Amino acid sequence: MHATALLRSPKIWIFTLFGALLAIVLTVGYLGGALDTDTPTQRVPIAWADTDQGDGAQHLGAALTDEVLTGGAHESAHWLPFTDEAQARELLTTGTAYAAVVIPADFSARADALTDPRAQPDAVRVTVLTNPIAGPAASGTANGIAQAVLARLSQELGAQLASAHAADPAPPTGMLAGGLAADPIRVTLTPVGPVPAHSAGGMAAFYYTLVLILTGFLLAQLLHSGVDGVLGFTPREFLHKRATHPPLPINRVHTLLAKTGLMVGCAAVAGTVIEAVAMLAFGMPTEHPLGLWGLSMLAVATAGVLPLVLLAVFGAPGALVATIVLVVFGVPSSGGAYPPELQPEVFRWLGQILPMRHTTDAARDLIFPVTGDAVIGSVLVIALWLVASLAAGLLVTAFYDRTGRHRVSAYERAQADRA
C-alpha cells in the first residue's frame, strides 16, 4: 500500500477532528489560565501592620488603616490587619500574604513635623515587606497594589495636612511649597528574606514539581508499551527491528498490578535521582531533604500510576485523558507560575482538586525556609490520588475480566492455539 492510498481513505482523516479537539483543550488550558492574570478575579492577600503610636490627640496611622479596611482602598486587595510587624512577617513566611505594609510607630509624629516651621521637613517613611519566595507574579502584583494604594493615600494625607493648617497665619512655606506637601509618604521595599541562590528566583518549587510530574507521566508511557511488548499484546519495535509473539496468559488486573509495581520501583529510583541532581549538580537549596525525597517518590508514582490506570480503562485514548489531567490543566492551575488569586475561578477550583498544586505547595515548604503547614495536607491529597486511581483501575479491569472483555482477540487466541 502506498501513502497516497491511505490518505485517500476518508476514515483516516478523522484524526483532524482529534487535532482540533486537542488544540482547543491546550488553548483553554494554557492561554485561559494565563491571559487574564493581570485582572485578578480574587483579591490578593496583603498584610497591613499599623504600629503608629500617634502624636497627641492625632492618630494618622489609624485614619489610613480605616481607609484601607473600609474606604476606597478596600477593594484593592484582601487586607489582613495587624498592630504588630512580627505578625505580618509571619504571614509572609507562611505564604499566607504576598506583601506587608508596615506603618511605622512614629508615622503621626513625622507627618506633624512637616507642618512645624521649626522642624526640618522630611518624608514619612512606610515600609512594604516583599516576599520573593512567593514567586515573581504573586510578589510583583502584591507590591504593585501596595505601592499604588500608598501613593493615593499619600496624596490624600498631603491634602489633609495642608487643609488642617490652611488657617495658620504663618504656614511652613517649605511644606506647602515643596513636593512633600502633595506627596509626604515615601515607600521603602524590604524583602522579608533573601531569595536563596540557585532557586530560579523563588520558582524552584514549581519547576521541581514540573520535573516530577513529567517524569511520572513519561515513565507510564514507557512502561505501558514496554510491558505490553513483553506480554505479547503489542509488537516490540526498535529502529528497523520489529518482533511479535503470542500473548501470554495474563488478565487485565494482573497486567495493571505488574505495571503499577514497576512504576513504584521506578518512582523510587527516579525521585532519588531528581533530588540528587537538583541538589548536588545544580545546587538547589533544600531545607528538608528527607521530606523532599519522600514527596518526590510519591509525586512521581502518582503521576505514573494515574496514566497507567487510564490506559488500562480507556486504552489508547487514556493517554490523552492523562495528558489533559496532569499537564494541560495541571500545570496552569498549579499556582507555580501564577498564584490562585490571579487565575480565573475555574482554574482555582481545578488547582484544589488536581495533584500538581498540592505537590507545588508541599515542595515550596520543603525547599525554602518557610514555616507553612501545607506539607501534611498536600501529601494526603497526593496519596489519595494514588490510592483512589489504582483502586478505580482495579475495579474496572476486574469488571472487564469477569465479563469476558479480554485483551486477546478471537483471532489472536486462534493463532496462539495453533502455535
Side-chain angles (χ1 to χ4, degrees):
M1 174 182 286
H2 294 284
T4 54
L6 181 62
L7 293 176
R8 280 197 299 268
S9 173
K11 294 181 179 179
I12 200 68
W13 291 97
I14 191 67
F15 288 102
T16 59
L17 297 179
F18 292 118
L21 177 61
L22 183 59
I24 291 173
V25 171
L26 286 170
T27 302
V28 171
Y30 281 94
L31 295 185
L35 291 182
D36 290 331
T37 53
D38 55 342
T39 56
T41 57
Q42 187 177 8
R43 294 176 297 166
V44 298
I46 302 177
W48 180 279
D50 178 15
T51 67
D52 183 22
Q53 300 298 315
D55 185 36
Q58 188 165 240
H59 199 301
L60 297 177
L64 264 63
T65 301
D66 290 340
E67 175 67 17
V68 165
L69 298 181
T70 61
H74 172 65
E75 297 297 328
S76 300
H78 175 44
W79 301 102
L80 305 171
F82 295 98
T83 58
D84 183 11
E85 180 179 341
Q87 294 175 310
R89 286 180 175 271
E90 183 178 355
L91 288 187
L92 295 183
T93 58
T94 59
T96 307
Y98 302 146
V101 178
V102 180
I103 305 299
D106 59 351
F107 182 85
S108 294
R110 282 181 172 271
D112 283 342
L114 295 175
T115 64
D116 187 351
R118 297 166 299 179
Q120 182 67 29
D122 191 13
V124 182
R125 303 290 174 179
V126 173
T127 300
V128 173
L129 299 174
T130 65
N131 184 18
I133 293 178
S139 179
T141 300
N143 296 342
I145 292 174
Q147 292 186 72
V149 168
L150 288 172
R152 188 171 66 189
L153 293 178
S154 179
Q155 294 176 354
E156 295 176 0
L157 178 60
Q160 176 184 344
L161 293 175
S163 175
H165 295 83
D168 193 327
T173 56
M175 188 277 287
L176 293 178
L180 292 179
D183 189 16
I185 295 178
R186 295 293 181 270
V187 176
T188 301
L189 295 177
T190 304
V192 71
V195 180
H198 312 293
S199 65
M203 296 280 287
F206 169 67
Y207 288 116
Y208 190 86
T209 298
L210 187 60
V211 171
L212 297 177
I213 298 298
L214 289 178
T215 299
F217 176 78
L218 295 175
L219 272 174
Q221 315 304 315
L222 292 174
L223 289 177
H224 176 71
S225 60
V227 172
D228 280 356
V230 171
L231 295 176
F233 293 115
T234 60
R236 288 177 291 178
E237 294 184 277
F238 181 72
L239 298 177
H240 63 284
K241 297 180 179 180
R242 184 176 185 271
T244 60
H245 64 80
L248 298 178
I250 183 171
N251 61 20
R252 292 178 181 270
V253 169
H254 284 277
T255 301
L256 178 58
L257 287 173
K259 292 177 180 178
T260 300
L262 281 172
M263 186 69 241
V264 172
C266 290
V269 175
T272 304
V273 170
I274 290 171
E275 182 177 4
V277 172
M279 293 177 58
L280 302 179
F282 300 125
M284 187 186 78
T286 304
E287 287 292 309
H288 307 283
L290 288 179
L292 186 62
W293 180 48
L295 175 68
S296 301
M297 294 187 291
L298 176 62
V300 173
T302 301
V305 170
L306 178 60
L308 290 176
V309 167
L310 293 172
L311 286 164
V313 172
F314 297 108
L320 179 59
V321 177
T323 302
I324 293 173
V325 172
L326 292 175
V327 181
V328 176
F329 289 112
V331 174
S333 64
S334 66
Y338 298 99
E341 293 80 7
L342 300 184
Q343 295 179 325
E345 184 176 356
V346 63
F347 285 89
R348 294 200 304 271
W349 177 78
L350 285 172
Q352 295 173 356
I353 297 175
L354 299 180
M356 188 164 179
R357 179 182 296 177
H358 298 280
T359 307
T360 303
D361 291 342
R364 184 179 291 111
D365 285 1
L366 294 170
I367 292 174
F368 295 110
V370 298
T371 57
D373 55 356
V375 175
I376 296 178
S378 297
V379 167
L380 290 177
V381 172
I382 300 168
L384 179 62
W385 267 92
L386 175 62
V387 174
S389 59
L390 180 58
L394 292 176
L395 286 174
V396 174
T397 53
F399 171 76
Y400 288 165
D401 289 334
R402 286 197 308 271
T403 55
R405 293 173 171 84
H406 304 295
R407 297 190 71 190
V408 181
S409 65
Y411 173 78
E412 290 171 323
R413 285 198 296 270
Q415 291 292 99
D417 292 339
R418 283 197 295 269

